[in-house]
Amino acid sequence: MWIGTLYALAAGLMWGLVFVGPLLLPEYPAALQSVGRYLAFGLIALPLAWMDRAALRRLTRSDWIEALKLAIVGNLVYYLCLASAIQRAGAPLPTMIIGTLPVVIAISANLRDHRRDGRLPWRALLPSLLLIAAGIGCVNHVELQALRADPGADPLRYAQGALLAIVAVACWTWYPLRNADWLRAHPDRSPRTWATAQGVATLPLAAAGYGLLWIGMALAGADFTMPFGPRPWFFIGLMAAIGLFASWLGTTCWNEASQRLPTALAGQLIVFETLAALAYAFALRGRMPGALTLLGIALLIAGVMWAVRIRPEPTVAEVHGT
């Protein structure tokens, strides 16, 4: 139990790095950070694919098409929206919005997969939703106050950031549901092989995206030095670090935790990612969060923990064996 919890903590600490990348590279376009991160991840996946080549050969054309869809939505589009949101609204609010993922996924699965997995009672979910809404409201209030106090701030950019964070949540709600569909439909396939396949599928997409972005910026006459920007070694190092630690090692640690912990407990420990991201963001700001922000974080954690403890109830069809 303790080893599993430590693995989950390690995963959260590494996943939190993806939220500070856009803060460390504010002058870099979010699209470049997205394709750069997943280009690094794809390159890291190549030796893993070589070691798992026998299992990868068993994948069909439709399997690879599904892996491409998952790579586009769950990797490239998700991180493009997240990085754009953080650059526009700062880290705290997008981090809190992303922190609602366990509950958003639970609600979506409740509506979509209740015949397969059972239904979560809506009356039991309501307190969790209220706690999460209150937590996001607290953090949003603090950030809006800071925005009003800053004469150079742009409220429109802040609103755009919040909307992009919501799109990121939508992407990463769609991804685990579709990913679970494939894994349920192929119980004879290794989840590790499927993860490697997605990494391989990400590589040509990221490489093509990088090339198109380079051409587009050149045609637009953008004042940006391609291919690696004004701080090339820092950019390359950061993308490699995020690709290695967040995309590969973080997922590996999470899989280790999932093998050792009950699913309900593992779901609660996803909040380590949110806490790590907020801690990194406030460390970069050089100050502690205020009382209202801390209250918002506590409400978010309480809401997520409430929701993931709820047990699904079988549907009427399942009860009667039909």
Side-chain angles (χ1 to χ4, degrees), residues 4 7-8 15 251-263 266-267:
Y7 270 120
W15 282 343
T251 302
T252 300
C253 287
W254 186 254
N255 290 341
E256 293 285 353
S258 299
Q259 288 181 337
R260 291 169 169 81
L261 297 174
T263 303

Side-chain angles (χ1 to χ4, degrees), residues 48-217:
L48 300 175
W50 175 255
M51 291 186 289
D52 214 13
R53 59 190 181 278
L56 287 172
R57 288 195 194 102
R58 296 178 57 202
L59 297 179
T60 65
R61 181 173 178 272
S62 62
D63 293 333
W64 283 108
I65 291 174
E66 186 66 15
L68 281 169
K69 292 177 183 177
L70 292 167
I72 291 170
V73 177
N75 290 348
L76 293 167
V77 178
Y78 163 74
Y79 195 61
L80 171 62
C81 292
L82 176 61
S84 300
I86 293 171
Q87 287 186 333
R88 284 166 171 76
L93 181 64
T95 302
M96 291 288 286
I97 293 174
I98 296 296
T100 66
L101 269 171
V103 176
V104 175
I105 292 170
I107 292 173
S108 300
N110 213 30
L111 294 169
R112 180 178 180 270
D113 300 323
H114 62 272
R115 292 186 180 276
R116 184 185 71 189
D117 300 331
R119 186 187 296 278
L120 297 173
W122 292 111
R123 65 185 181 279
L125 276 174
L126 181 59
S128 174
L129 299 177
L130 293 175
L131 286 169
I132 287 172
I136 293 176
C138 288
V139 173
N140 189 49
H141 179 72
V142 173
E143 295 299 304
L144 282 174
Q145 281 188 326
L147 196 69
R148 295 190 189 101
D150 183 0
D154 185 351
L156 179 59
R157 281 179 61 82
Y158 184 83
Q160 290 172 343
L163 288 173
L164 284 165
I166 293 171
V167 176
V169 168
C171 289
W172 237 88
T173 300
W174 179 89
Y175 172 87
L177 294 176
R178 288 293 293 260
N179 195 50
D181 287 345
W182 190 93
L183 290 168
R184 292 286 186 91
H186 301 83
D188 58 322
R189 305 296 175 86
S190 165
R192 185 195 68 251
T193 299
W194 186 232
T196 302
Q198 291 180 44
V200 172
T202 300
L203 179 58
L205 293 173
Y210 212 110
L212 290 173
L213 184 63
W214 191 347
I215 294 170
M217 293 177 73

